[in-house]
Every structure is written in C-alpha cells, then in structure tokens.
Amino acid sequence: QVKLLDHDGRVLVKKDLVKDKVGVIIGGGSGHEPLFLGYVGENFADAAVIGNINTSPSPEPCYNAVKAVDQGKGCIYLYGNYAGDVMNFDMGAEMAADDGIRVETVLITDDVVSSDNIEDRRGIAGDLLVMKVATAAAAKGLDLDEVVRVSRKCNDNTRSMGVALSSSTIPVKGGPIFEMEDGDMEIGMGIHGEPGVRRGKIEPANQVVDEIMEFIFNDFEIKEGEEVYTLVNGLGGLPLMDQYIINNRLEEVLTERGIQIHKALVGNYATSMDMIGMGITICKVDDELKELLDYSVDTPYMMIK
C-alpha cells in the first residue's frame, strides 16, 4: 500500500495515488509513532515526511513529497506548529512553487497551555483530527481552497492538553530528556517534554481530568446540546486500561454539562516514545466536520469503514 521514496526512508508515499485529487502531505519528527507514518493509506495521507527523533525533516524531502504526490490539483502540508517544521516545510513549498506547484499549509495549534495566542500554540494529538478532516475532504474531491478551509475550521474547533508522569527516553542518548521524580506528574507538558503549567505529586485520574477540562472549557465555549469528538491519547507508556479510566471520567464531565459525544477515540495515536502520560483532545463538531471525521479510511493505524 505504501513505498519509501528515498533510500534513507525520509518520505513514505501511498502506492496507488488517486488522479485529479489534492495531494495531502503530513509530517514532522520521529518518535511520535504511529504519527506520522501510520496514517499513510487509503483516504488518508498521500505521503508522510519524517525527520530524526523530535527533529523536523529537512526541506528536500518535504519538496520530494510534493513532487511525488502532486496530481495537478496542488498539495497541502499539515503538521504541528513547531519552528523547525515551519521553516523547512516552507522551504519545501517554495521549491515546489518554483516548479509551478501550488502548496498550501495548515499549522495545527491545539495545545491550549502552550501560548495565550492561538496562532503561536504547538500541535499535539489534535494533529490526528485536523489531518483526518483534510484528507477526507481531498478524498471527496474538494479543491485545494476547500481542503484548506475545512482543515482550518477543524483546527479552530480543536483543543488539547496533556499530563506526563515520566520523561521519554531518547535512543541516541540512552536516557531521559529531562528528570522527573518518581511519584510526580506535570500538567500541560508537551509531547517533546516542553514545560507544562505545574508539577506536583500524582493525583487521582478523575482529579486530573477535571483540571485538564477546566483549562479547555476556559479556552473555548462548548454550549449545552453541542456535539464533540473526543480523543484520549496515550503518550506511549500509559496502559490502555488507564486511558479508558480517563475516558470514563471525560464522558461524565461532558455529560454533566449537557454536551453530546459524537465519537470517542482511546489509544496511542500520537506518542512520545515511552513517555508515561496522556492527553485529552476535544473537537467541537457540526454536520460538515462529522461527515469528514467519519469518512472511511484504511491505514495501518486507523481504519474506518
């Protein structure tokens, strides 16, 4: 179903590209598997570009991905808002423009605690939902402007926040990114170990969910009767049973507020290697976003029929 474009495995491309369709390219650093490679496939990404662990891919593979998937309808880059990714993907887009290929970019900015300004926020597990909307729109045959529009709409309606109980282990170092005492947790930590809002002793799961959701509710309004798509995302080292405990409390919090859950995902969708922790993602949906999020896909790590 997929093939490596270059010898060092920096670009993974879908084998059977659909003609006359917007090309969708996702990417970023390694270490977040199954993001990004696991979502190349039918009705999802046409290509994924990857860098080293927690490192953006260089401009050339970003450009090579465009050359590989462009069908004359232009391409869209989708990735989390990190400075290195922005710089190198932008250079790839400029190289493609020199060849007459239009490339648009949608930065994903779902992490509520990373900045007061939404456009400056980093992208975390919300990447998955924004990418899902964009790829479904492209699969339905929408033009590039429409794919960009719905992608930005999904991003604008998506908020995430995480908690970590440990650092991840960097393979080249053979040790953790940072030090954390046993029995501690950090609320709001990013998927690369970026600082959160506070560090303290581990608290009960329900209490952690309540605190995270308070941040999310304070950041954007979800009214009674509105619908949301939820994701409890494991960061690599948290057992699935614990993730479902988190999801159970999340459902209670939303139900108490009269908020309807359209669909709930639980699992390791965007990790930080072996980090013990999780994140909660909430996407406020309408009929348009629901159709795109529910659109059928067939990839190694997501299948919807």
Side-chain angles (χ1 to χ4, degrees):
Q1 196 177 42
V2 296
K3 61 183 177 181
L4 292 174
L5 186 62
D6 51 17
H7 70 281
D8 59 355
R10 297 294 181 185
V11 183
L12 191 71
V13 180
K14 189 163 57 179
K15 279 185 178 179
D16 299 319
L17 294 169
V18 178
K19 295 186 181 300
D20 299 322
K21 184 187 82 70
V22 170
V24 183
I25 299 161
I26 63 176
S30 300
H32 309 301
E33 288 71 30
L35 195 72
F36 300 88
L37 300 178
Y39 303 124
V40 177
E42 182 182 348
N43 293 343
F44 216 127
D46 296 304
V49 190
I50 59 167
N52 292 328
I53 299 293
N54 290 348
T55 305
S56 64
S58 60
E60 186 174 6
C62 299
Y63 164 70
N64 290 339
V66 172
K67 294 289 288 183
V69 307
D70 178 57
Q71 300 292 312
K73 300 295 184 180
C75 297
I76 183 172
Y77 284 149
L78 297 134
Y79 53 88
N81 183 29
Y82 298 95
D85 291 319
V86 172
M87 179 176 67
N88 291 341
F89 275 97
D90 278 356
M91 291 174 66
E94 291 170 3
M95 295 164 70
D98 290 339
D99 291 339
I101 303 173
R102 180 186 171 198
V103 179
E104 295 290 339
T105 296
V106 173
L107 298 178
I108 303 165
T109 57
D110 57 303
D111 189 343
V112 297
V113 298
S114 52
S115 176
D116 291 333
N117 299 316
I118 293 177
E119 61 271 15
D120 295 329
R121 293 175 176 176
R122 59 198 177 215
I124 48 177
D127 285 12
L128 179 73
L129 303 187
V130 179
M131 291 170 180
K132 176 68 183 70
V133 164
T135 53
K140 285 170 60 68
L142 275 63
D143 65 21
L144 183 53
D145 288 332
E146 279 293 284
V147 174
V148 169
R149 179 188 67 79
V150 295
S151 302
R152 288 177 176 160
K153 176 180 176 179
C154 183
N155 183 66
D156 290 343
N157 284 281
T158 301
R159 300 291 191 276
S160 300
M161 185 173 171
V163 58
L165 281 66
S166 77
S167 171
S168 56
T169 304
I170 294 293
V172 294
K173 179 183 176 184
I177 303 174
F178 56 88
E179 297 301 323
M180 180 177 282
E181 295 293 331
D182 287 343
D184 279 1
M185 67 175 190
E186 185 155 343
I187 295 282
M189 180 174 287
I191 59 174
H192 305 100
E194 297 92 340
V197 295
R198 71 172 182 87
R199 183 177 292 195
K201 294 303 178 184
I202 293 175
E203 298 166 351
N206 286 2
Q207 189 173 330
V208 173
V209 173
D210 291 351
E211 182 171 353
I212 288 175
M213 289 308 299
E214 196 62 33
F215 274 95
I216 290 176
F217 286 134
N218 286 337
D219 196 75
F220 80 146
E221 183 181 18
I222 311 175
K223 298 177 183 177
E224 182 178 353
E226 290 187 314
E227 287 187 89
V228 294
Y229 196 113
T230 68
L231 166 62
V232 172
N233 175 65
L235 291 175
L238 187 70
L240 191 59
M241 179 176 67
D242 292 2
Q243 295 176 39
Y244 275 102
I245 292 170
I246 295 292
N247 186 69
N248 182 68
R249 178 56 183 166
L250 175 59
E251 181 179 349
E252 290 176 351
V253 170
L254 293 170
T255 301
E256 287 168 4
R257 287 177 173 250
I259 299 166
Q260 301 178 37
I261 300 172
H262 171 65
K263 184 170 289 185
L265 296 181
V266 179
N268 294 339
Y269 289 92
T271 68
S272 185
M273 291 169 287
D274 59 345
M275 182 181 285
I276 302 172
M278 65 86 197
I280 293 173
T281 299
I282 305 292
C283 178
K284 189 161 52 176
V285 295
D286 58 9
D287 288 344
E288 181 179 48
L289 289 180
K290 284 191 291 185
E291 180 185 359
L292 296 170
L293 286 166
D294 292 344
Y295 199 77
S296 66
V297 296
D298 186 359
T299 75
Y301 284 90
M302 177 172 274
M303 180 178 290
I304 300 174
K305 294 296 184 183

